[in-house]
Every structure is written in C-alpha cells, then in structure tokens.
Amino acid sequence: MDAESDGRRGYAGPVPAGGPAGTATAEVRSAGRSATVVDMRTESGPEAEVESEPEDAGEPRLGSRAPRFIRASRPLHLSWQVGVFLVGLAVVAAGAAMLVLPGPGWVVIFAGMAIWATEFVWAQLVLRWTKRKVKEAAKKALDPRVRRRNIILTAVGGVIAAIGCGYYVWAFGFQLPWNVAW
C-alpha cells in the first residue's frame, strides 16, 4: 500500500546518512516539494531540524483546494467550481451593495475574492497582488517622514478649521447657518 492510496500525504524514503554516527536523515516528498529531515532522535522526543527548498516567497501553491475525491471526478469538480463561483459571486455582489449601503463593503468583497481563490488561480493571483499592495502601503504609511508630513498637514487643517469656526461665531454668533440673516 503506497502513501497516496492509504491517505497519507507524502512519501518518506531513506537517504544516505552523511551526518555523525547516531543521526538519521530521511527525504520526504509531497506535492512536488521535498524536504530533508536531519537528526531525528527518538530518545530526546520528536524534535527535528527540517531543511526544505524555498517556496515562492512563502506563498501557497496555486490551484484548486477542493478535496481529492472531488478533483478525481471531472463532472463533480466542475459542479464544485460552479458552486464556489456562485457563492463567491453572491458575496462579492453583497459587498458591492454595501459600498453604497451601510456595511463593510470592501471587507466583504475581499471575503468573496478569498472564496473564489479557493478554486480559481486568477483570484489567487489577484489576492496576492492585493496583499502585496496593502503591505507596501502599510510600510509607506509607517515611514517616519510620511507620518510627520501627515501630522503636520492634519495640524494645519485643524488650525484653518478652528479659524473658520471662530470667524463664523464672531460674525454671526451661535446661530445655525440657515437662520443667519444676510
């Protein structure tokens, strides 16, 4: 019985030991990736040092996240994709409605995109791009020069607003603008 048929995710096979005596190494292969487990001692517990090849800068793989039994059948997988698309479309449409109605519109739109990203590569790429842009914007906003500029502009705007309100109260008193006799 192999690893695929009994439900295990990877295959562990021996690799020639190149380390000191008493250490063992094993190569683990799963989903096109491999990792080498070095120095796993049974007497000290399940501590192991894992060396693996770098992925796409920590990004998860692209493609369907549907369960294996669904991906195995083409008609079932196609109906799964239609269902995921319709659910994502409903969530994105609700988010778009919330842009003009009360509610967290952009959050709901991104939730719909995340639903689509469980099945469609194009949505995964859009979410990766969006995450990258949000991280860049956050990094830029935390830049001390930008923060200082924003604080200065806010203070200047507050002073201008206070001067305008002071002039209005001096000229017209505490009357509402629509009750002022010109």
Side-chain angles (χ1 to χ4, degrees):
M1 186 185 303
D2 64 339
E4 294 297 321
S5 63
D6 70 351
R8 289 182 285 148
R9 298 229 10 138
Y11 164 78
V15 173
T23 64
T25 60
E27 183 178 356
V28 179
R29 291 186 207 119
S30 173
R33 293 185 223 125
S34 67
T36 304
V37 180
V38 181
D39 194 24
M40 190 157 85
R41 296 186 182 108
T42 55
E43 64 269 6
S44 65
E47 300 168 4
E49 185 179 319
V50 177
E51 301 172 12
S52 65
E53 37 187 75
E55 293 181 23
D56 321 339
E59 299 285 340
R61 67 177 176 82
L62 294 174
S64 176
R65 307 274 196 291
R68 181 172 295 165
F69 75 92
I70 290 177
R71 284 183 282 151
S73 169
R74 181 72 179 143
L76 187 58
H77 191 229
L78 186 60
S79 62
W80 176 271
Q81 285 181 327
V82 168
V84 168
F85 181 78
L86 291 176
V87 169
L89 184 65
V91 173
V92 168
M98 287 183 201
L99 290 175
V100 293
L101 300 172
W106 285 109
V107 173
V108 175
I109 288 174
F110 288 127
M113 289 296 296
I115 291 170
W116 277 339
T118 63
E119 199 57 37
F120 302 108
V121 173
W122 60 268
Q124 293 168 0
L125 294 174
V126 168
L127 280 180
R128 282 186 185 180
W129 178 83
T130 303
K131 286 179 186 178
R132 190 170 49 250
K133 291 298 180 182
V134 167
K135 285 180 183 177
E136 289 173 9
K139 183 178 178 184
K140 189 182 276 188
L142 294 176
D143 180 26
R145 292 180 302 176
V146 173
R147 290 185 68 211
R148 189 176 320 115
R149 182 199 65 199
N150 290 344
I151 290 171
I152 290 171
L153 288 175
T154 302
V156 168
V159 167
I160 291 172
I163 290 172
C165 289
Y167 175 76
Y168 179 84
V169 169
W170 175 75
F172 303 107
F174 288 102
Q175 293 183 7
L176 296 174
W178 48 85
N179 293 335
V180 173
W182 295 94

